[in-house]
Amino acid sequence: MTRTVLVTGGAGFIGSHACVALAAAGYEPLILDNFCNSDVRVIERLSEIIGKAPAFVEGDVRDKVLLHKVFREHEIDAVIHFAGLKAVGDSVAHPLHYYDTNVSGTVVLAAEMQRAGVKTLVFSSSATVYGEPECSPIPEGADCRPESPYGRSKHMVEQMLTDLHRSQPDWNVIVLRYFNPVGAHESGLIGEQPRGKPNNLMPYLCQVATGERQSLQVHGSDYATPDGTGVRDYVHVMDLAEGHVAAVKHAGGRPGLLTLNLGTGQGYSVMDVINEFERATGQPIARQLGPRRPGDVAAYWGDPARAHKLLGWKARRGLAEMCADSWRWQRRNPAGYASRLGVEVAHSGIELAQEL
Ligand code: NAD
Ligand code: UFG
């Protein structure tokens, strides 16, 4: 029998890719999203990739009545909880909104899961819970010192889920701490759609490549890193998506609470990413060296050994594929889901430079 997985925030960047991976693994994703940071047209794109329309419910994860109805009307085996707000700067300006959505939203969801007897939960956490790390690669046992309301909201949920599991040991909870998700599905049909000027490196790079932005501002070139620019653990969103499938499989029928890093275990500098992007896509990237961005850490990357050991999951896609797939999505959809310049058959990202 097909197992149904409720995917809150399933219309978003990571959630939509997780729906593809779930369907490919034989699960039935059921999306719950209020589209506050996504586009309803993602559902059509998912239908094209999966071969049938995924079930979806439009609504807010904080809506207790709606959640009760969803659990009553569907046989749900597990929940992956992506729905949340994620912009660090915005969380400083609007902390209550962040705590309400991220923390209260999870309280409502977990309470309704409990009422429905659904006890398998995979939660989207973030490497941001570590704050400024003492060392890299960061193991899951490192101290957590989140530095923003966003990071604290994720850490609070982690603590709440730990208490829940302590009181109800028959729950299966897997907390996944993502490093820097980038890339897009190889079809170029779904991807990340930032609103306004992107904050993150990869979407900014893509917009410089299309000419929408003049040049990339490198935020700091005097860090104590090999080339002076910031180092991060970029992980392909399809690898992350597959990590969620592995988590759901692992959680099935096995009570426990696990906290796992999802990253590649490899750090790349801003210059590494620019150089690889140019190589993989054939697009020259104008850049300017600028001052450090307030709040940025010089370098960190994760230790993904535990996820490999316990879930058998390992990131398989490299930086070239991350760049090529991000670029394919951007090039085919210059205005995100509102535009589409043609459908492309899946390629290996490495071939893209020649193809263009
Ligand atoms: P996203 O904004 O693209 O997706 C989140 C989805 O949740 C959106 O579709 C949004 O409409 C929906 N949503 C938000 N509030 C909701 C609510 N109250 N009710 C129902 N739906 C709601 O973000 P993403 O990059 O896909 O991130 C998914 C999760 O992963 C988030 O919880 C985020 O904090 C976490 N995360 C993201 C990153 C990253 O860099 N992208 C890194 C670490 C962790
Ligand atoms: N960078 C630039 N120029 C830009 C954008 C970024 O040089 O225009 C640099 C940053 O200074 C940093 C690197 O590129 O060195 C990566 O920056 P991102 O903004 O892409 O990602 P961050 O590591 O700063 O933050 C991301 C998420 C956060 C999350 C954090 C930890 O955006 O939400 O990872 O998981 F909290």
Side-chain angles (χ1 to χ4, degrees):
M1 200 184 76
T2 314
R3 290 161 57 85
T4 300
V5 179
L6 176 65
V7 185
T8 76
F13 172 44
I14 307 172
S16 56
H17 289 80
C19 288
V20 172
L22 284 166
Y27 292 91
E28 200 80 63
L30 165 61
I31 297 172
L32 172 82
D33 205 300
N34 67 359
F35 300 106
C36 71
N37 197 37
S38 48
D39 192 308
V40 70
R41 285 167 285 201
V42 75
I43 304 290
E44 287 161 34
R45 305 288 186 94
L46 283 174
S47 311
E48 279 188 56
I49 299 172
I50 295 171
K52 68 172 193 174
F56 87 96
V57 175
E58 180 167 358
D60 198 297
V61 76
R62 293 163 296 180
D63 183 342
K64 194 175 158 56
V65 175
L66 175 71
L67 283 186
H68 184 60
K69 188 166 177 277
V70 168
F71 282 108
R72 212 182 42 228
E73 290 179 356
H74 300 266
E75 277 283 310
I76 294 168
D77 297 286
V79 178
I80 308 182
H81 182 34
F82 291 104
L85 303 175
K86 62 169 181 177
V88 173
D90 202 31
S91 79
V92 175
H94 307 287
L96 295 182
H97 190 36
Y98 272 68
Y99 289 120
D100 185 31
T101 302
N102 294 359
V103 182
S104 308
T106 313
V107 174
V108 172
L109 174 67
E112 288 309 317
M113 286 176 67
Q114 182 149 289
R115 189 137 81 122
V118 178
K119 295 180 174 181
T120 297
L121 174 64
V122 177
F123 173 65
S124 290
S125 189
S126 168
T128 200
V129 298
Y130 294 118
E132 174 125 32
E134 271 162 21
C135 66
S136 282
I138 312 174
E140 289 85 350
D143 285 348
C144 289
R145 289 184 292 253
E147 286 168 9
S148 67
Y150 166 63
R152 280 189 282 277
S153 74
K154 289 289 176 185
H155 193 225
M156 280 177 195
V157 173
E158 290 194 4
Q159 291 170 306
M160 189 181 85
L161 294 176
T162 306
D163 289 338
L164 172 63
H165 179 259
R166 221 173 259 147
S167 75
Q168 314 245 338
D170 58 338
W171 273 67
N172 305 304
V173 179
I174 302 194
V175 169
L176 299 177
R177 292 177 178 160
Y178 318 145
F179 282 73
N180 288 50
V182 295
H185 186 258
E186 61 183 355
S187 63
L189 286 169
I190 57 172
E192 186 174 12
Q193 179 175 254
R195 298 209 162 150
K197 189 171 163 186
N199 270 322
N200 297 120
L201 179 62
M202 190 63 87
Y204 205 104
L205 263 177
C206 287
Q207 293 191 4
V208 173
T210 59
E212 191 176 342
R213 313 250 163 225
Q214 251 185 355
S215 75
L216 176 86
Q217 170 82 227
V218 177
H219 298 321
S221 52
D222 58 350
Y223 285 112
T225 59
D227 63 20
T229 66
V231 171
R232 297 289 184 273
D233 183 344
Y234 298 94
V235 55
H236 196 293
V237 65
M238 280 310 297
D239 278 325
L240 268 192
E242 287 160 12
H244 289 74
V245 174
V248 168
K249 280 188 184 152
H250 181 276
R254 214 172 323 179
L257 174 100
L258 274 182
T259 300
L260 302 171
N261 286 335
L262 291 188
T264 63
Q266 164 92 50
Y268 287 106
S269 72
V270 176
M271 293 312 298
D272 290 334
V273 179
I274 296 173
N275 293 336
E276 195 57 67
F277 191 93
E278 289 184 326
R279 232 188 333 265
T281 66
Q283 300 299 305
I285 297 295
R287 85 292 304 260
Q288 284 169 340
L289 300 184
R292 294 181 180 191
R293 185 170 63 176
D296 265 2
V297 168
Y300 65 85
W301 57 96
D303 179 352
R306 197 168 178 184
H308 188 219
K309 185 167 167 223
L310 298 180
L311 304 184
W313 173 87
K314 208 174 172 182
R316 296 184 289 127
R317 297 158 176 92
L319 188 59
E321 209 166 339
M322 300 181 211
C323 293
D325 289 343
S326 297
W327 172 234
R328 182 180 299 107
W329 154 252
Q330 176 71 44
R331 191 174 54 116
R332 293 281 165 185
N333 309 273
Y337 288 103
S339 62
R340 180 175 180 175
L341 301 182
V343 183
E344 187 169 287
V345 184
H347 299 269
S348 138
I350 321 296
E351 292 160 11
L352 196 75
Q354 292 101 53
E355 175 215 331
L356 294 172

